[in-house]
Amino acid sequence: KAEASGIACGEGDEIESGSVCSPMCIAGLEPSIEGQTLCLAGKFVPEVSCLPPSCSFEKLVSIEHISPEGICWDSEEGIMLKDRLPSNRWCCPKCEAGFGPNIHTMHCNAGKLMPPTFQCFASCHEPYEGACEEGPLIRHNSRCTPRCKP
């Protein structure tokens, strides 16, 4: 029989070894995994816990010029996020090549994404090659630091 603090199983109060559990949490929390977990020798595999709700990117997928690889870069995990951001985490919004986000970071706090959305704007090109310290593409809301022509 497996037990996990704060976890209930849709299949009942006692789960025998070799059986599956569809994890459920009290209101305001959500299981740390999607789908089912397996009870093996008194432990759930994979482990499961109840966490504050993550933030869905469902409303962000329609943003024009969003990156096709994903919506936000999670530097803590080193991965591009496509569906959701775990609670109490930060990520950097991403746009397709040649575009930049109007914000630098997004944060999830118990199911609330802050800010709730972002926009992708076209990047500017330097006026001539080598004109800007920042390189040939200048992000939206950024400045070109001029360099003298040689």
Side-chain angles (χ1 to χ4, degrees), residues 33-52:
I33 64 165
E34 289 186 29
Q36 295 179 320
T37 184
L38 182 64
C39 173
L40 287 175
K43 296 187 185 277
F44 287 122
V45 180
E47 286 185 29
V48 62
S49 59
C50 289
L51 303 171

Side-chain angles (χ1 to χ4, degrees), residues 1 6 11 17-18 27-28 30 40 64 68 70 88 98 100 103 108 112 127-128:
K1 167 175 121 167
E11 293 77 12
S17 187
E30 63 183 27
L40 287 175
E64 287 187 56
N88 203 28
I103 59 171
C108 178
K112 289 191 177 226
Y128 58 87

Side-chain angles (χ1 to χ4, degrees), residues 105-119:
T105 59
M106 300 182 90
H107 182 255
C108 178
N109 184 14
K112 289 191 177 226
L113 191 60
M114 295 306 294
T117 190
F118 68 94
Q119 293 177 299

Side-chain angles (χ1 to χ4, degrees), residues 59-119:
K59 293 179 181 170
L60 303 180
V61 295
S62 61
I63 293 174
E64 287 187 56
H65 306 293
I66 199 153
S67 170
E69 288 88 38
I71 293 178
C72 230
W73 175 255
D74 181 344
S75 58
E76 189 175 318
E77 292 290 324
I79 57 171
M80 185 68 85
L81 302 171
K82 297 180 181 188
D83 306 335
R84 49 195 336 98
L85 177 62
S87 188
N88 203 28
R89 292 280 278 283
W90 295 86
C91 71
C92 302
K94 294 295 176 189
C95 300
E96 65 185 37
F99 291 81
N102 64 328
I103 59 171
H104 295 289
T105 59
M106 300 182 90
H107 182 255
C108 178
N109 184 14
K112 289 191 177 226
L113 191 60
M114 295 306 294
T117 190
F118 68 94
Q119 293 177 299

Side-chain angles (χ1 to χ4, degrees), residues 13 24 35 53 66 90 94 98 130 136 138 140:
D13 293 338
M24 300 183 309
I66 199 153
W90 295 86
K94 294 295 176 189
I138 310 302
H140 173 73

